[in-house]
Amino acid sequence: LTFYVFHHAILYPSSLWPKGVVANGFVLMEGTKMSKSMQNITPLRDGVAKYGADPVRIGVMATAELGQDTDFSETLASAIGERLVGLLGQARRLRRVRVRTRALSELDRWLLSRLNRVVVEATSAMERLRVREAINKVLYQLDNDLAWYQRRRGQRKGKGDSNGAVLRRVMEVRARLLAPMAPHTAEEIWSVLGQKGLVSIAKWPKADEKLNNPVVEQAESLIGGTLEDTREILKATAIMPKQVRFYSAAGWKWRVYLKALETAIGGDQGGFLRTVMGDSEVRGVGKQAADYAAKVFQQARQMGEEQRKARLGMGVLKEKEILTGAVDFFRRELKAEVRVWAEDEEGRVDSKGRARLAEPYRPAIFVE
């Protein structure tokens, strides 16, 4: 340790001197202390030969942050190896894709916004030396986002891969994020994609504020949440659906909801109710409007400040438009006819009176 400090002091300027030194505690093996007496030691050379250098490297880092005892798991190392091999396979397939220049779809914008979010969060984690957190963002969160992206797109045989440029961009950024964690895999991906030089000396990716798109992220969250709620209804009722109807909240509910977000902190419920009931349309609804206003005011008070500000900033979400744009996806997933109506839409089909249950960010659902 002494010579480590001396070497840096002599060879490097002070800006490159160590910021700190960490002494690791026990290395656990499947939750048990690794020791000769328990015969559960895996020599590093054997681990690398069996699982590969990158799976061992991530397997050690992914189980604990600095200051905690790492818990090496052979099952985890094998799973990480399979995941890294899968990434290489994706890179090789992307190399063969003919990239066409096309306008970005809303789904493309969603994936790029999610990628940008991962860059921001992984960068913050690395700067705080929370490597485990960074691994979770780069290796697992991005995989979940890509799985949702492909699921939403569905099979598009005969139409070419119009999203090849977006997927290549995601993979290139991912290779740079992976370089400190899985250097061998990252270099192979970088090379397969035809990038010049070594990814280990390429610049760490920077967040691009232009890619941030909270509206499309919230739209996908709405679609995913609506699908999940519908599946819960089908599971509880054991219905094989022929038709599913979604109803988005009426305009007056959105005005009440946004006013609740605006006044929940610092305002009183009585004053809030007097304000919203001053709206002639809201007042015309009667007791239902008053009950709804009291309910959302309490919800807004319990909501986290960050979420409240984000939803206020987005304003009214065009829920009917969002759900209508995902009708083909819902039909594929639910194997049923799907219709979308607004709660206050003239001529809507609502024989069971379900539309009145619609709320902002939570459409009403009817299954038959």
Side-chain angles (χ1 to χ4, degrees):
L1 176 60
T2 306
F3 276 94
Y4 169 74
V5 174
F6 287 171
H7 290 160
H8 277 74
I10 291 176
L11 296 175
Y12 301 109
S14 59
S15 61
L16 298 180
W17 289 1
K19 300 294 190 297
V21 177
V22 176
N24 196 70
F26 286 116
V27 176
L28 305 178
M29 173 65 81
E30 306 285 2
T32 303
K33 185 179 76 168
M34 190 183 294
S35 68
K36 293 179 181 178
S37 62
M38 300 187 70
Q39 298 183 347
N40 63 348
I41 290 178
T42 299
L44 184 59
R45 181 180 295 177
D46 293 352
V48 170
K50 185 174 182 179
Y51 307 108
D54 285 353
V56 169
R57 186 183 179 98
I58 293 182
V60 169
M61 294 188 293
T63 59
E65 297 289 5
L66 291 179
Q68 300 172 325
D69 295 337
T70 190
D71 186 0
F72 187 78
S73 165
E74 294 186 328
T75 302
L76 177 61
S78 296
I80 291 170
E82 292 173 3
R83 191 174 289 265
L84 295 178
V85 169
L87 278 177
L88 284 170
Q90 293 173 29
R92 292 185 181 110
R93 287 191 293 275
L94 283 173
R95 179 178 58 183
R96 298 191 294 269
V97 167
R98 183 174 61 178
V99 177
R100 301 178 181 179
T101 303
R102 298 191 182 184
L104 295 175
S105 67
E106 290 298 283
L107 192 58
D108 292 333
R109 297 182 195 281
W110 172 82
L111 182 59
L112 292 175
S113 184
R114 295 292 295 173
L115 174 66
N116 201 58
R117 183 182 295 275
V118 167
V119 170
V120 171
E121 293 174 351
T123 301
S124 172
M126 292 294 279
E127 287 174 346
R128 292 179 285 118
L129 296 180
R130 295 187 62 84
V131 182
R132 179 174 183 261
E133 181 181 332
I135 289 172
N136 285 332
K137 300 295 181 184
V138 178
L139 209 56
Y140 298 103
Q141 183 175 310
L142 262 180
D143 263 3
N144 292 337
D145 291 340
L146 284 164
W148 176 256
Y149 177 78
Q150 298 288 21
R151 182 178 171 189
R152 283 275 282 117
R153 291 188 77 251
Q155 297 296 323
R156 303 189 178 190
K157 294 180 180 178
K159 295 185 179 181
D161 197 341
S162 61
N163 67 336
V166 173
L167 291 177
R168 280 186 67 95
R169 181 170 184 171
V170 172
M171 187 62 76
E172 289 166 4
V173 171
R174 202 173 191 184
R176 285 186 279 165
L177 293 172
L178 272 175
M181 310 165 191
H184 305 85
T185 305
E187 291 294 358
E188 182 66 15
I189 291 173
W190 194 250
S191 175
V192 164
L193 294 178
Q195 297 296 319
K196 296 180 179 179
L198 298 174
V199 71
S200 57
I201 58 175
K203 290 184 178 180
W204 180 266
K206 291 185 178 180
D208 184 351
E209 291 298 322
K210 295 178 182 177
L211 296 179
N212 285 344
N213 202 324
V215 174
V216 297
E217 287 197 44
Q218 186 60 64
E220 285 304 311
S221 179
L222 175 72
I223 292 167
T226 302
L227 177 63
E228 184 178 347
D229 288 346
T230 306
R231 289 196 184 282
E232 287 297 318
I233 292 172
L234 296 178
K235 182 179 178 181
T237 59
I239 292 176
M240 295 293 290
K242 292 182 179 178
Q243 185 177 104
V244 178
R245 298 180 201 148
F246 298 135
Y247 301 95
S248 61
W252 69 265
K253 286 184 177 177
W254 275 98
R255 293 198 298 277
V256 171
Y257 181 79
L258 293 175
K259 191 65 178 177
L261 296 180
E262 183 182 323
T263 61
I265 303 301
D268 66 280
Q269 183 167 317
F272 165 72
L273 290 174
R274 286 191 294 272
T275 299
V276 297
M277 295 307 287
D279 183 317
S280 59
E281 183 184 0
V282 177
R283 189 170 59 252
V285 177
K287 186 176 184 302
Q288 180 192 353
D291 291 344
Y292 173 73
K295 175 184 175 181
V296 295
F297 186 80
Q298 293 304 316
Q299 289 177 343
R301 277 197 160 173
Q302 296 167 9
M303 189 180 295
E305 182 180 2
E306 185 177 343
Q307 184 182 28
R308 189 168 56 251
K309 286 182 177 180
R311 290 191 172 183
L312 263 176
M314 285 186 285
V316 177
L317 202 65
K318 298 178 180 178
E319 289 188 334
K320 184 189 176 186
E321 183 180 316
I322 291 166
L323 295 173
T324 300
V327 160
D328 287 343
F329 169 68
F330 286 127
R331 286 171 179 164
R332 278 199 319 270
E333 292 286 324
L334 300 171
K335 296 179 173 54
E337 181 58 33
V338 176
R339 297 292 302 276
V340 180
W341 306 88
E343 176 186 358
D344 51 358
E345 184 175 345
E346 188 175 341
R348 72 177 187 276
V349 176
D350 184 24
S351 57
K352 300 295 183 179
R354 293 292 194 277
R356 63 183 177 81
L357 301 176
E359 297 180 9
Y361 295 97
R362 191 157 190 179
I365 303 168
F366 177 67
V367 179
E368 63 178 358

